[in-house]
Amino acid sequence: MATEPIADTTPTLRRDVQHALYRRALEHMPGGTDSNFRAWGESTIYVDRGKGGLVWDADGNEYVDLRMGYGPVILGHGDERVDDYVNERMRRGVSFSLTSEDEIRAIELVCELTGWVDKARMTVSGTEATMHAMRVARAYTEREKIVKFEGQYHGVHDYALISVSPDNVDELGDEDNPVGLAWGRGIPGAVADTIIPARYNNIDFLRRLFERQGHEIAAVIVEPVLGNAQGIMPKPGFHQQMRALTEEFGILLIFDEVKTGFRFARGGAAEFFGITPDLATYAKAMGNGYPAAAFGGRAEVMSVLPDKVSHGGTYAGNRIAAAAAVKTLEIIRDTNALETIHATGRTIQNGLKEILDPVGIPYHFTGHPSMFGIMFREEVASEYRDWATTDHELYDAIAIGMHARGAMPEPDSREPWFVCEAHADADVIDRVLTAFSDSLDAALEARAHGEPAPQPHGGMATPGGG
């Protein structure tokens, strides 16, 4: 006898206004959005406002926000400390293409908090920051090739969109000889050929690569944790071994801290892991949601600016971004905001553990309490290829179910949950755990009855580019 379909007990979200906005947006915006990563078809969310750890869509549905704009909003939406300061400073004017004291102060704070960055410059986005850091590395070493790790996301410029996040990891090629897989059309082959893909957490592979091509390699760029696969952590000693290996071969080490910077620690992942790279990129959390970014590093490496390397930008260091960075970084430096965020993340993880352990499903947490994921897999994942062997269909079904129950993680199993200071409220934490528990039950019930799993929103994967 065929199994009877289960009654759908998923709460129903109001969508009338958003459906109308979607149809309207499709008239003039590809996919109905300004970013591929927000284009979720008929499920595309059109936001109205956010406050603290909450966000409301255009139909008035309220969610606990676990995306936080893919990580920038580290204090909370509409934080008065930051917004009031920005509002006061912006009344003096926003864009001059001249340098303000706000910019100087923002960079002083980057250098102070990291403890190792000697010189830096502001830009507008993480994409620009990684693009310029790679250019500086090429200029300093007079070599052209950059090593990046499979599954890592460094923005949407052509040099970054290699081996980012295929659904079918077989497309990445042989484990010992991975291919440089361009993510989307329009990337010149000559550009793609300057990027060498490597396997994260595999120091033996890296040594063989350096021995074979080290004379061509300007730098290794690495997300200290694999942020595009729920924050997969480095194996013990991996970063230390990679640092030693790059020094041995005269190759620069770029820490892409766009996600981890000022989130894992006041000095970012470099402080957290005890590593001193040559260059680093920052964005997201340094401005609490305002479009602030920076790249910087050792004085010797940065000395190629301004005379030998092109860098500019009409909006680089604009008053709004610089003021937001100043106030956000001062708060991170002077308050216990990070300690609160880390404690909140651990509390949420403990609550999830209490829900999951009795169910008996193999799982482990990835990442850091401020930016973590849940992988339904027995063995701890160590690289992007491991994502393919997780039960990501179950994860996606839970995430989608949580939206209907008032909590919003990214509906794709590669994106971490981001925790902000405003999430510390006990009621907010309880709402997250209740939504997860009810969604887990519904997903397992549907699976037991042979119901098809809901599909994650969108077409291309969602690697945190906004």
Side-chain angles (χ1 to χ4, degrees), residues 61-364:
N61 299 302
E62 179 182 300
Y63 313 85
V64 177
D65 188 1
L66 297 171
R67 298 169 69 254
M68 303 311 295
Y70 291 121
V73 188
I74 194 167
L75 302 174
H77 296 293
D79 185 274
E80 287 88 354
R81 297 166 295 181
V82 178
D83 291 354
D84 288 349
Y85 184 76
V86 171
N87 287 337
E88 186 274 321
R89 298 301 292 172
M90 70 185 288
R91 292 190 181 99
R92 300 175 179 227
V94 173
S95 291
F96 304 97
S97 284
L98 297 168
T99 302
S100 69
E101 186 178 357
D102 301 88
E103 297 167 67
I104 299 170
R105 185 66 188 130
I107 294 301
E108 286 174 341
L109 284 162
V110 169
C111 295
E112 178 186 346
L113 266 67
T114 62
W116 69 270
V117 172
D118 298 319
K119 294 189 176 183
R121 277 189 172 180
M122 288 194 72
T123 185
V124 180
S125 68
T127 286
E128 291 177 68
T130 61
M131 179 180 70
H132 290 304
M134 291 162 77
R135 183 182 299 158
V136 165
R138 290 186 173 107
Y140 178 79
T141 61
E142 297 184 348
R143 303 170 182 174
E144 290 194 347
K145 297 198 173 180
I146 303 284
V147 173
K148 78 169 293 286
F149 293 97
E150 291 178 339
Q152 297 216 331
Y153 175 75
H154 303 293
V156 291
H157 56 88
D158 287 354
Y159 292 99
L161 292 176
I162 305 298
S163 300
V164 179
S165 57
D167 290 332
N168 180 5
V169 297
D170 290 339
E171 295 176 358
L172 294 171
D174 185 84
E175 290 185 356
D176 293 323
N177 189 29
V179 299
L181 180 66
W183 194 48
R185 300 180 183 180
I187 300 169
V191 171
D193 287 344
T194 67
I195 304 301
I196 305 173
R199 293 174 57 203
Y200 185 66
N201 267 327
N202 191 325
I203 200 68
D204 292 334
F205 178 97
L206 208 58
R207 173 169 282 282
R208 291 193 301 271
L209 174 61
F210 286 5
E211 288 173 347
R212 185 174 67 247
Q213 292 180 259
H215 63 286
E216 301 177 281
I217 297 171
V220 175
I221 187 168
V222 60
E223 286 186 284
V225 304
L226 212 168
N228 195 34
Q230 293 195 341
I232 290 175
M233 295 288 276
K235 292 179 180 178
F238 175 71
H239 285 322
Q240 288 78 7
Q241 292 171 309
M242 179 167 57
R243 172 71 283 192
L245 202 57
T246 53
E247 289 175 341
E248 178 184 343
F249 285 85
I251 295 168
L252 298 186
L253 178 61
I254 305 171
F255 260 26
D256 179 1
E257 296 231 37
V258 166
K259 284 186 178 178
T260 58
F262 316 111
R263 175 175 282 279
F264 277 35
R266 287 173 177 82
E271 176 188 327
F272 184 80
F273 292 114
I275 299 295
T276 302
D278 300 294
L279 291 164
T281 59
Y282 303 97
K284 295 190 186 284
M286 77 178 282
N288 196 47
Y290 288 91
F295 65 98
R298 296 194 291 113
E300 181 184 357
V301 178
M302 291 292 288
S303 69
V304 297
L305 292 164
D307 297 332
K308 299 176 182 177
V309 170
S310 176
H311 166 250
T314 299
Y315 300 112
N318 69 80
R319 179 87 71 180
I320 291 173
V326 167
K327 182 53 66 173
T328 302
L329 294 178
E330 285 181 347
I331 291 168
I332 288 172
R333 182 193 63 184
D334 298 337
T335 75
N336 66 349
L338 284 192
E339 288 79 5
T340 298
I341 292 165
H342 299 170
T344 301
R346 287 190 291 270
T347 299
I348 294 173
Q349 287 179 329
N350 290 336
L352 294 171
K353 188 175 187 300
E354 290 182 5
I355 294 167
L356 286 166
D357 282 353
V359 179
I361 301 172
Y363 76 95
H364 63 272

Side-chain angles (χ1 to χ4, degrees), residues 432-461:
V432 170
L433 297 176
T434 300
F436 180 88
S437 180
D438 291 348
S439 297
L440 171 66
D441 290 344
L444 292 176
E445 181 77 4
R447 175 173 287 187
H449 285 79
E451 297 288 318
Q455 296 300 304
H457 304 321
M460 302 179 84

Side-chain angles (χ1 to χ4, degrees), residues 365-429:
F365 294 121
T366 54
H368 180 275
S370 68
M371 170 187 149
F372 70 89
I374 310 150
M375 279 198 171
F376 293 112
R377 184 178 190 266
E378 193 77 54
E379 300 83 10
V380 174
S382 65
E383 63 173 327
Y384 182 77
R385 293 175 187 241
D386 291 339
W387 167 81
T389 63
T390 66
D391 191 347
H392 42 86
E393 286 189 355
L394 176 60
Y395 178 90
D396 293 343
I398 294 169
I400 293 169
M402 288 178 69
H403 286 206
R405 294 171 174 87
M408 190 193 294
E410 180 69 15
D412 186 294
S413 60
R414 284 163 281 211
E415 191 71 18
W417 293 16
F418 288 98
V419 180
C420 77
E421 184 184 22
H423 283 141
D425 183 270
D427 178 63
V428 169
I429 295 171

